[in-house]
Amino acid sequence: MSQFTVSGEFQTRDGPREFSRVVDATNENVAREHVLSRFGAEHGLKRTQVTLNEVTAE
């Protein structure tokens, strides 16, 4: 598995907030899915509230 850095922003009550997460995944699509599901589980956000701007392999 490779490491990917996923960056983007999500909506809060105070406006958009930027983030960057490092995840282990087999490819970029799986890395995107991990980040979206993690934000839903940890912050109760829907996928439409999270914008992924960049996915880079490390």
Side-chain angles (χ1 to χ4, degrees):
M1 282 218 255
S2 302
Q3 284 193 334
F4 292 90
T5 302
V6 182
S7 60
E9 62 185 24
F10 62 95
Q11 294 296 321
T12 65
R13 293 179 193 167
D14 301 327
R17 173 171 266 182
E18 294 183 0
F19 71 89
S20 179
R21 296 271 177 120
V22 176
V23 295
D24 290 329
T26 54
N27 60 42
E28 287 186 18
N29 291 334
V30 174
R32 289 175 196 267
E33 290 298 317
H34 281 301
V35 170
L36 289 173
S37 67
R38 193 178 296 173
F39 268 102
E42 292 177 3
H43 300 287
L45 296 174
K46 296 181 181 179
R47 291 172 181 256
T48 58
Q49 294 173 302
V50 180
T51 304
L52 302 179
N53 296 332
E54 184 178 21
V55 179
T56 56
E58 292 189 6

